[in-house]
Amino acid sequence: MTNLIRIAVVAFLLSGCISAHSQSMPYKSWYLGFTAPDYMEVWIETADVVDIQDHTYPRAMSGVASISTPPNNSGEPRGWPRIAGIGKGKNVTGADLPQQIYVRWQSLVEPQTYLMVIKIPEATRELMRKGEKVFCSYGGEGIVGYRDSIGIGLVPGGIAKVWVGGSCLTPIEVMTVKAVVDPRGPYEGKAGGHHRPLSEVSKAYVEKFGVPYDSWK
């Protein structure tokens, strides 16, 4: 093997090591999830992520948020949960920790289309990097856990609350964000102003009780 080939191989291996350790987090991927209160259905058109390496991940999440729609109006949509769930979502594979998250969604009970940019501060990323000793009942022993998930709660009126959490760790609320109305309407104006339909069970609740906007202030 010539010196030139040796140098090329070493450079390749070093670049692989650098790439493998370039992420600033102690796990392979983090999770992005969304929730909505009972009956307050939302449709996420897109959630795009920009990580701290300035790499963009379009449509890191889209579709429905985690929600309950109990029959006979027996649910309770009012107020924020005492302990938030991370919600329905996906792992943002290949990304470093987030710098910002762009979300455009439809609030189906209003109906209205909102958009916002969630700027993730360094303090939140530090929470996601920090390992904590925790006892998981299903494992029967203590482990080092990480808050490797971001949960975003979306409510009518365009308010979003953000938590970070992880397996066996209590979620921590990190911020509240007020979105703006997208004047283009649903799907950036490409749907003729037509939002996705509200389910019959949610429609029945809203027609009887209305939308409890004041409970999410």
Side-chain angles (χ1 to χ4, degrees):
M1 184 182 291
T2 66
N3 287 336
L4 182 60
I5 295 175
R6 287 193 183 95
I7 292 171
V9 170
V10 170
F12 174 80
L13 292 174
L14 286 174
S15 66
C17 293
I18 292 170
S19 176
H21 296 284
S22 61
Q23 291 183 324
S24 66
M25 58 195 186
Y27 34 82
K28 291 183 179 179
S29 64
W30 55 275
Y31 182 88
L32 176 62
F34 290 85
T35 61
D38 292 358
Y39 310 111
M40 303 293 117
E41 297 176 19
V42 302
W43 177 262
I44 302 153
E45 293 185 3
T46 187
D48 306 333
V49 170
V50 179
D51 72 6
I52 56 175
Q53 308 292 342
D54 286 329
H55 297 149
T56 301
Y57 298 82
R59 291 178 68 83
M61 171 55 184
S62 61
V64 296
S66 176
I67 189 172
S68 294
T69 54
N72 304 317
N73 298 327
S74 58
E76 178 50 81
R78 299 180 63 84
W80 296 101
R82 186 175 63 84
I83 299 179
I86 295 301
K88 183 177 180 180
K90 297 179 181 178
N91 286 314
V92 189
T93 305
D96 206 323
L97 292 175
Q99 176 184 155
Q100 61 183 30
I101 303 170
Y102 168 88
V103 188
R104 188 176 69 250
W105 82 94
Q106 299 177 29
S107 173
L108 304 185
V109 298
E110 301 181 78
Q112 189 62 270
T113 303
Y114 295 102
L115 56 85
M116 65 182 176
V117 177
I118 301 172
K119 296 182 179 180
I120 306 296
E122 180 59 23
T124 298
R125 288 189 289 271
E126 283 301 316
L127 286 173
M128 298 180 74
R129 295 186 185 104
K130 182 182 177 182
E132 292 188 20
K133 291 184 179 180
V134 63
F135 178 80
C136 285
S137 58
Y138 59 79
E141 60 182 14
I143 63 169
V144 175
Y146 293 93
R147 289 184 171 84
D148 56 358
S149 301
I150 292 181
I152 301 173
L154 302 175
V155 302
I159 300 173
K161 198 174 284 286
V162 184
W163 295 268
V164 290
S167 297
C168 307
L169 291 169
T170 302
I172 296 175
E173 180 183 332
V174 293
M175 70 181 77
T176 300
V177 180
K178 184 69 170 69
V180 298
V181 172
D182 189 340
R184 300 169 297 180
Y187 298 106
E188 300 178 300
K190 300 173 185 176
H194 299 292
H195 291 83
R196 293 179 64 89
L198 187 64
S199 71
E200 289 301 319
V201 65
S202 294
K203 183 179 179 182
Y205 182 92
V206 172
E207 287 178 347
K208 185 171 183 178
F209 298 104
V211 179
Y213 291 102
D214 289 343
S215 70
W216 299 305
K217 290 184 178 179

